[in-house]
Amino acid sequence: MTDVLLPSATLGMLGGGQLGQMFALSARVLGYQVIVLEPDPHSPAGQIADQHIQAAYDDEAALKQFAAQCDVITTEFENIPAHVLNLLAESCPVRPSAFAVEKAQDRMVEKAFIQSCNLLPVPYADIHSEADLATALKTVQLPAILKTARFGYDGKGQIVIHNEEELNAAFKSLGKVACVLEQQIDLALEISVVLARNAAGESQCFPVAENIHKNGILYQSIVPARVDANIAEAAQVAAQRIADKLDYIGVMAVEFFVTKQGALLVNEIAPRTHNSGHYTQDACVTSQFEQQLRMICNLPFGDTRLLSPVVMTNLLGDVWGDSQPNWDILLADSNSKLHLYGKKEARIARKMGHFNTLADDVEQAKQKADAIMQGLTPC
Ligand code: ADP
Ligand code: MG
């Protein structure tokens, strides 16, 4: 039987980004201590934690000190090397495990894993070297997207391909690193499932989110998703199957594509809390961050019930321009809740914060959120 960790226990967070920050905020509300390990001296989570160990993820002495001080360790960042998680696991429980995190670090491994769960990834081909390019074109329909197998996020490391010349040039421009070539899907919509799974193998899903992306970056999540109930149900079942196969402990997300023909394809797996789950902070009984804490501490599930239709809108650095956004427009709306991550520099495409807009239905929430976004950008 796994030990239950009660308030005042010390929780370790690998990674100092906004997902770590929002976890740390939830943990503090519940009376836990948080130690963040993160190289950046000014990280969002480092500002909130009880202790910030400023060290690289492969600094063995720092990792040992971290593990010695924590009762359990979790992560907010999928690119922590598996051997680091295994090293930590020698002296402290690490949830999720290196095995689970590793499956989501490399698109080739991830897609093979999705197939091993009897689920459908987007049609794709593996590319290890130039020799694989011609074969890939025979198996993947154009237009397609060339994606680096590792370290891609927010649409980075992706190039749209219309013909063989473009594929050759794109592979070169990505540095000839391992890639996947994916068919570009004619999307009806994108949805995601955030779910929690405990050490006893029980899992619970949050309501399915409908996601709108702009330039490969999440723009809005709409909940409830405007999708056929059977597809929403199938997505939750698929996400639970993936979590079971990973023997996952914690909170994770699965992103799906719904094609114009009504097929459900698995896009990718995130072994952590997810941007499309931020709506839970203001619209569910339990947030994804509290649920993450509950799972790693072996506490019972918090209720995942949706209390109100909601639209979550991301605030990218683009909204800042040369000055602060017109916050008064957002703050004047009594049903919009602002979350800012404390990042000092507002760069283009950098996630600076988000806001959740609640309303009687998602159409109204979306209209209001879109109007707020229009008004936020300084003229
Ligand atoms: P990231 O790791 O950057 O989130 P994704 O593979 O999820 O990478 O791609 C980001 C977004 O780009 C997706 O949410 C989707 O909007 C679009 N996209 C990616 N791959 C495809 C595809 N094969 N067909 C259509 N759209 C795609
Ligand atoms: Mg994605």
Side-chain angles (χ1 to χ4, degrees), residues 18 42 103 110 173-174 212 236 267 303 319 322 379:
Q18 62 265 21
H42 307 293
K103 290 280 179 282
E110 183 175 46
S173 77
L174 292 174
I212 299 177
Q236 291 189 324
N267 173 27
D303 193 342
V319 181
D322 294 330
C379 298

Side-chain angles (χ1 to χ4, degrees), residues 11-51:
L11 314 180
M13 173 54 77
L14 273 167
Q18 62 265 21
L19 301 175
Q21 182 190 59
M22 291 182 272
F23 171 85
L25 287 166
S26 284
R28 285 194 152 230
V29 167
L30 289 166
Y32 289 80
Q33 313 284 311
V34 180
I35 305 179
V36 166
L37 188 135
E38 156 70 44
D40 179 353
H42 307 293
S43 70
Q47 298 166 28
I48 302 295
D50 295 274
Q51 192 187 331

